[in-house]
Amino acid sequence: MSTARSRGERRFRDAFRSSRALIQDMTTNNDGQQLLLTIPQAAQRLGVGRTTVYELTAAGELELVHIGRCARIPVASVDDFVERIRDQSVTKR
């Protein structure tokens, strides 16, 4: 009984590792640069909290990509958002 359980646990661990590797492969380009950020990574990059990032995605200010159940934000979307904010602050002067 313990052998079957450990075999099942091993399969689960292997499947989990391979899915994480797949997501890692999908979120980086050939140069190893990250293409997609997690919500906390995007928040850290913008210097805001996670809740603010969720609000920005809900408002359509940041693009949200789903890979299975994982939510990711493209780095390009964060960069575009910063450019838009910078342009708005320059035109207000």
Side-chain angles (χ1 to χ4, degrees):
M1 180 109 158
S2 64
T3 307
R5 182 174 179 202
S6 64
R7 200 174 312 139
E9 289 173 354
R10 197 172 318 121
R11 280 191 214 136
F12 176 78
R13 274 196 316 270
D14 292 345
F16 181 74
R17 285 185 190 131
S18 64
S19 67
R20 292 202 43 104
L22 176 64
I23 290 172
Q24 183 65 33
D25 289 345
M26 293 173 71
T27 61
T28 57
N29 65 10
N30 292 338
D31 298 332
Q33 293 179 328
Q34 200 166 11
L35 298 174
L36 300 172
L37 303 170
T38 63
I39 301 293
Q41 288 171 334
Q44 183 178 20
R45 187 166 178 152
L46 290 170
V48 298
R50 289 180 311 136
T51 304
T52 302
V53 173
Y54 282 114
E55 290 170 355
L56 290 170
T57 59
E61 295 287 336
L62 289 174
E63 181 183 356
L64 190 65
V65 175
H66 287 277
I67 303 174
R69 293 178 56 189
C70 299
R72 299 289 187 263
I73 298 176
V75 171
S77 178
V78 173
D79 294 340
D80 291 344
F81 173 73
V82 171
E83 274 302 311
R84 284 194 312 271
I85 296 299
R86 290 182 74 193
D87 290 343
Q88 288 175 2
S89 67
V90 169
T91 58
K92 287 182 181 179
R93 290 182 181 178

